[in-house]
Each structure stands twice: as structure tokens, then as C-alpha cells.
């Protein structure tokens, strides 16, 4: 239950002395109640996000009409920009609520290099365009021999997300480290870490940046565009895979964000 598994356990209600069975029954009732509460929350979140799309689309259309009459004036451009932001937030909210219904998540077994092959290519390309030095250090001998059981596309987008943040908030350099580590439970884990030499963050922000809509210093980040949902999505995806993600200071002077994912264990 503590890990978010609210399945009813019939053993609890049917075994042992009658006092314990009674407790077991109550416990199961409680689990069902919590489970319903949470699914209602998710449904609410996804219907709200969905409903917001309609007026936003109309707003977009009318703004286009206004622009037609007034030409490319500054306030209209502002309105369009804010509409785009809102549109992005809603899309990301929808994604989050969809992710939270974990039962719908498709899982597969895949070799870990599939997680980064394309992502790194894209990152190198973007870095080059923007004159950012991007070093990559992969110290895993045969990555194709290590497997992860999970949702490849969600995990890939999580990794892409932290790399894109680094590219967005860095000055001119990012550093990508991929290796294997043991986690606290002594399981073998894949670790993907992105360092940058941007402004970094004060330690009290390290946890907060994973909260929904949280953006450090709105005036500073507003120019870079974004919704503050990227890292929330990363956090959810990584958690779903029993992994961890955290931020800390980087030796390069900016921020370092690490994603840790348990490897698939052969039995
Ligand atoms: N590499 C980084 N360096 C400095 N700040 C960062 C970095 N990555 C994330 N942040 C901070 O965390 C906030 C939340 O990140 P995120 O959820 O990806 O939202 P977004 O990128 O859309 O603003 C960002 O607005 C930024 O303030
Ligand atoms: Mg982001």
C-alpha cells in the first residue's frame, strides 16, 4: 500500500484468527476507498485538461482574426505566445495524468543502449547548432547485453528532457556520463547523468524543480520558455520504473541531474 499498490489482498480477510480477519477486511475496504479517490483525481485532471483545450483553440482562432485586422502588433504577438504556453501546459498535464494511470503503461524488455542512441545524436546536433560543447562518456562495456524492463518511449523522453534542460540552461558546455552503479538496495542500475556549466541552482531548489509547474525565478526562465512540467514528467516516469532522479551541483559550475534505473534481473 505504501508503494501505491492498492490491490485487495483476500488472504488478509480470510486467514488467521477472527480479530485479524476483521482488521484485514477493514484494511481492504480502506485500500479500495483510497484507490477510488486516486482514480477520481486522475480522471478529474485529465478531463479538466481536455476541456481547457476547446476554449483555447477558439482563442487561437480569434487571435488569428485579430492579427489579420491589426497586423503584427506587439500585444497580439504576446497573446499568441501565452496561448502557446498554455497549450503546451495542457498537453503536458494530459501526459502526466495518462502516465499516472500506470496500468495502461506498456512494458517491454530492451537493451539499455536503445535508451540513448538516438537521444545523443539529437543532442549533439542541437549542441553544435548552438555552439555548445557536448562531451559524452559511456563507460559500459557491452551495453547491448544489459536489459531494462519498461516503457522505452517514456524513458527515452525522460532522458531527452534532462538533456534538453541542460542544453537550455547551460552557458556553453554539457557533459553526459552513462555508467552502471549499485543503488541503495544493491541492485545493478543504469545511471545517466547530465552536467552543465550554466548558473546552476541553490541547494534548496534541488528537490523543488521536480514539482508541477515549478520554475526557478520566473523572470530568468520566462525568456527560455517552458512550462515547469518537464521534470515532473521525468520524475513520474522514473518512479514508475522504480528508479530515482535527483539534482545536485555540478563540477562544471552548473547543475547535474541524474537518472538511475534498475536493470532487469535474470532469474
Ligand atoms: N540544467 C538546469 N540548470 C538550471 N536550472 C534548471 C536546469 N534544469 C531545470 N532547471 C530549473 O528547473 C525548472 C523546472 O524544469 P522543467 O520541469 O524542465 O521545466 P521547464 O524547462 O519547462 O522550465 C526550470 O524552470 C529551471 O528553473
Ligand atoms: Mg524542461
Amino acid at each position: 500500500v505504501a508503494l501505491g499498490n492498492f490491490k485487495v489482498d483476500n488472504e488478509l480477510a480470510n486467514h488467521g484468527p477472527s480479530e485479524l480477519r476483521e482488521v484485514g477486511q477493514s484494511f481492504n475496504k480502506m485500500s479500495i476507498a483510497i484507490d477510488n479517490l486516486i482514480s477520481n483525481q486522475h480522471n478529474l485532471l485529465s478531463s479538466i485538461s481536455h476541456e481547457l483545450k476547446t476554449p483555447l483553440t477558439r482563442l487561437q482562432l480569434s487571435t488569428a482574426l485579430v492579427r489579420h485586422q491589426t497586423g503584427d502588433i506587439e500585444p497580439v504577438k504576446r497573446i499568441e505566445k501565452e496561448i502557446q504556453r498554455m497549450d503546451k501546459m495542457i498537453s503536458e498535464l494530459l501526459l502526466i495524468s495518462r502516465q499516472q494511470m500506470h496500468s495502461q503503461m506498456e512494458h517491454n524488455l530492451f537493451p539499455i543502449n536503445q535508451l540513448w542512441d538516438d537521444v545523443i545524436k539529437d543532442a549533439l546536433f542541437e549542441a553544435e547548432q548552438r555552439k555548445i560543447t557536448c562531451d559524452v562518456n559511456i563507460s559500459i562495456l557491452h551495453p547491448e547485453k544489459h536489459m531494462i524492463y519498461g516503457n522505452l518511449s517514456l524513458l527515452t523522453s525522460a532522458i531527452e528532457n534532462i538533456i534538453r534542460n541542460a542544453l537550455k540552461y547551460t552557458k556553453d558546455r554539457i557533459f553526459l556520463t552513462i555508467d552502471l552503479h549499485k543503488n541503495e538496495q544493491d541492485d545493478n542500475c543504469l545511471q545517466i547523468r547530465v552536467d552543465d556549466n550554466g548558473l546552476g541552482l541553490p541547494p534548496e531548489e534541488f528537490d523543488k524543480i521536480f514539482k508541477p509547474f515549478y520554475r526557478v525565478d520566473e523572470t530568468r526562465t520566462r525568456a527560455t520558455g517552458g512550462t515547469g512540467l518537464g521534470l515532473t514528467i521525468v520524475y513520474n516516469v522514473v518512479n514508475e520504473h522504480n528508479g530515482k532522479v535527483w539534482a545536485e551541483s555540478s563540477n562544471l559550475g552548473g547543475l547535474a541531474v541524474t537518472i538511475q534505473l534498475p536493470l532487469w534481473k535474470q532469474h
Side-chain angles (χ1 to χ4, degrees), residues 133-150:
T133 314
C134 178
D135 295 314
V136 182
N137 185 1
I138 305 174
S139 54
I140 304 174
L141 212 46
H142 294 291
E144 68 286 349
K145 285 187 183 160
H146 300 282
M147 311 291 265
I148 278 181
Y149 183 70

Side-chain angles (χ1 to χ4, degrees), residues 31-43:
S31 290
I32 294 172
I34 295 176
D35 200 22
N36 285 337
L37 207 65
I38 291 179
S39 9
N40 286 343
Q41 273 266 320
H42 289 170
N43 289 339

Side-chain angles (χ1 to χ4, degrees), residues 4 34 36 39 47 58 73 81 89 91 109 116 132 144 164 183 188 199 209 217 233 256 258 260:
I34 295 176
N36 285 337
S39 9
S47 28
R58 292 199 198 111
I73 56 171
K81 205 167 156 207
M89 280 186 195
S91 307
L109 199 61
W116 64 74
I132 294 169
E144 68 286 349
R164 308 207 85 239
N183 67 4
N188 289 314
L199 290 173
I209 56 173
D217 185 3
I233 296 174
T258 310
Q260 191 183 60

